[in-house]
Amino acid sequence: MEKRRIIVVCKHGLFAQGLSTLLHGREGIEVVGIETDEHRAMESIRKLKPGIVVVERGEECIPIDNLLSHVVRESPGSGIVGLSLGQNEISVYYGQQRQVRRAEDLLDVILRL
Amino acid sequence: MMEPIRVLLVDDHILFRKGIANLLAAQADMEVVGEAGDGEEALREARELMPDLILMDITMPGMSGRQATRVIKEEMPYVKIVMLTVSERDSDLFDAIRSGADGYLLKDLEPAELYRLCRGVFRGEAPLSPLMAAKILREFSSLADARTGTVGPAGKLTPREIEVLELIVEGETNKEIADTLYVAESTVKNHLHNILAKLHLKNRVQAAAYAVREGLIDNSGNR
């Protein structure tokens, strides 16, 4: 089975490293990067084109909107998993982008989700 | 071989707590003996497990980390409690110190730094993130400006002890203080013991907080 290549992006270094240890060695998963800085995260996503980006969400964290648009542009098809420490929540985003050529494109995208 | 440091993790953020537990489990001299998701559970676990060290979050549902720290320190003063939080708020820092916390760390530190600071607390050092140490220093400076000149128990401190206290407030370890003052580390430890005894305090964090609160040292480092 092909491994899911994952980049962990968290402002808090301890959380980033802790998450990495939670995922490390799990079957089907390979952590290919851990980043705590927005610029370096963008660069890693561009270079490594991971299958999944795990992102810490929160007021003091790297803005997820910036990462979402970056992932869609630089690593289309990647999944994004947002983790909210404050609420103990996991949010899932699908990083896809397509050019709108006709109104039906919107319906097509919705039905494919 | 020395006994491992028995650690209790208290944090309501499950993924963070499990991650830290995994990180600490890889350290030969540390053992995570328990986990808790709020202050009340922390209290129960602390009573049952009698850990050496508690890494305590501040903001949790129900009993907060600060409240739990106060109760645990009253019942088990030998247990070292280090706050591990995202909060950079002055109020949380000083409340934690007043509650008896032995240290205050922010979650943005690197794992290696966490290990080093956790070990240091058992050598009498106070784990403080640099940003929070700076806050203590600033608070101390502003209070020093407003000090009245009245002398309490601090009047018993010698000029050398005042120097040591100032460096403690700056977040220096015993070794760093020894290097700064060109004395042996054991001498610094003796000064620290004397300071704590004279001020009726338990640890260096309380001593730093006391210096801040009482405005013992002015900006130039003199009483």
Side-chain angles (χ1 to χ4, degrees):
Chain A
M1 186 175 82
E2 194 172 330
K3 288 187 175 180
R4 303 278 180 117
R5 300 171 66 251
I6 295 176
I7 288 182
V8 176
V9 181
C10 299
K11 181 206 170 195
H12 301 104
L14 267 183
F15 186 41
Q17 294 287 346
L19 275 180
S20 176
T21 65
L22 285 178
L23 298 172
H24 181 73
R26 298 295 177 111
E27 190 176 351
I29 288 178
E30 180 186 9
V31 178
V32 295
I34 303 170
E35 301 295 350
T36 56
D37 168 82
E38 181 175 359
H39 179 73
R40 289 175 59 90
M42 300 280 198
E43 190 62 19
S44 288
I45 291 166
R46 188 182 64 78
K47 280 184 182 170
L48 300 172
K49 302 202 183 308
I52 296 172
V53 181
V54 176
V55 186
E56 179 187 10
R57 295 176 59 205
E59 288 179 9
E60 298 168 351
C61 299
I62 297 167
I64 195 166
D65 288 351
N66 297 359
L67 281 172
L68 281 172
S69 56
H70 185 76
V71 170
V72 165
R73 191 169 56 251
E74 299 292 347
S75 187
S78 295
I80 301 171
V81 177
L83 301 178
S84 169
L85 278 185
Q87 306 300 321
N88 276 324
E89 285 176 350
I90 297 175
S91 307
V92 182
Y93 309 85
Y94 298 96
Q96 293 183 5
Q97 190 173 38
R98 62 187 278 182
Q99 195 71 38
V100 178
R101 301 192 188 282
R102 54 198 180 106
E104 286 73 18
D105 286 340
L106 174 60
L107 184 62
D108 186 49
V109 167
I110 290 171
L111 292 176
R112 284 171 184 270
L113 281 178
Chain B
M1 184 177 158
M2 286 180 63
E3 292 287 314
I5 299 169
R6 302 173 70 253
V7 184
L8 172 63
L9 296 176
V10 184
D11 201 309
D12 61 319
H13 304 139
I14 298 162
L15 287 172
F16 181 81
R17 198 175 70 226
K18 294 295 181 188
I20 294 291
N22 264 16
L23 287 171
L24 293 180
Q27 301 301 302
D29 61 343
M30 294 185 189
E31 179 187 5
V32 177
V33 293
E35 298 179 26
D38 59 49
E40 283 156 357
E41 193 179 1
L43 194 51
R44 284 197 303 274
E45 292 289 293
R47 285 169 176 155
E48 184 178 328
L49 299 169
M50 310 283 276
D52 303 311
L53 171 67
I54 300 177
L55 293 178
M56 180 86 78
D57 192 13
I58 290 181
T59 306
M60 293 182 288
M63 182 188 280
S64 71
R66 184 180 55 78
Q67 291 168 313
T69 296
R70 185 183 299 279
V71 176
I72 292 170
K73 287 301 258 187
E74 281 175 4
E75 289 188 21
M76 294 166 269
Y78 61 87
V79 175
K80 305 293 185 188
I81 301 182
V82 175
M83 313 311 285
L84 185 56
T85 175
V86 297
S87 174
E88 298 175 2
R89 286 192 296 268
D90 292 15
S91 58
D92 283 337
L93 168 66
F94 293 111
D95 282 351
I97 292 171
R98 275 193 288 270
S99 298
D102 297 280
Y104 195 103
L105 298 175
L106 297 175
K107 288 179 176 174
D108 59 0
L109 82 170
E110 291 297 318
E113 190 71 355
L114 176 69
Y115 309 145
R116 187 182 69 78
L117 292 166
C118 285
R119 290 167 184 136
V121 77
F122 294 96
R123 296 192 296 267
E125 296 169 8
L128 287 171
S129 288
L131 177 65
M132 309 318 281
K135 282 177 182 288
I136 291 177
L137 188 60
R138 275 200 300 276
E139 179 74 6
F140 140 81
S141 296
S142 63
L143 285 177
D145 287 343
R147 87 189 149 100
T148 61
T150 55
V151 179
K156 298 174 185 172
L157 298 181
T158 66
R160 193 55 148 180
E161 287 164 352
I162 290 289
E163 282 184 84
V164 171
L165 188 53
E166 183 186 9
L167 294 170
I168 288 171
V169 170
E170 290 178 3
E172 290 199 6
T173 64
N174 286 349
K175 175 73 167 58
E176 289 166 339
I177 294 171
D179 291 342
T180 302
L181 299 180
Y182 301 102
V183 297
E185 190 175 348
S186 58
T187 305
V188 175
K189 285 180 181 173
N190 288 338
H191 282 311
L192 178 58
H193 286 145
N194 288 335
I195 291 167
L196 296 178
K198 288 179 181 179
L199 300 181
H200 309 294
L201 299 173
K202 293 175 183 172
N203 57 47
R204 63 199 296 136
V205 176
Q206 288 185 350
Y210 184 91
V212 169
R213 192 171 64 244
E214 299 298 323
L216 293 183
I217 306 164
D218 65 24
N219 289 334
S220 61
N222 300 314
R223 267 188 294 181

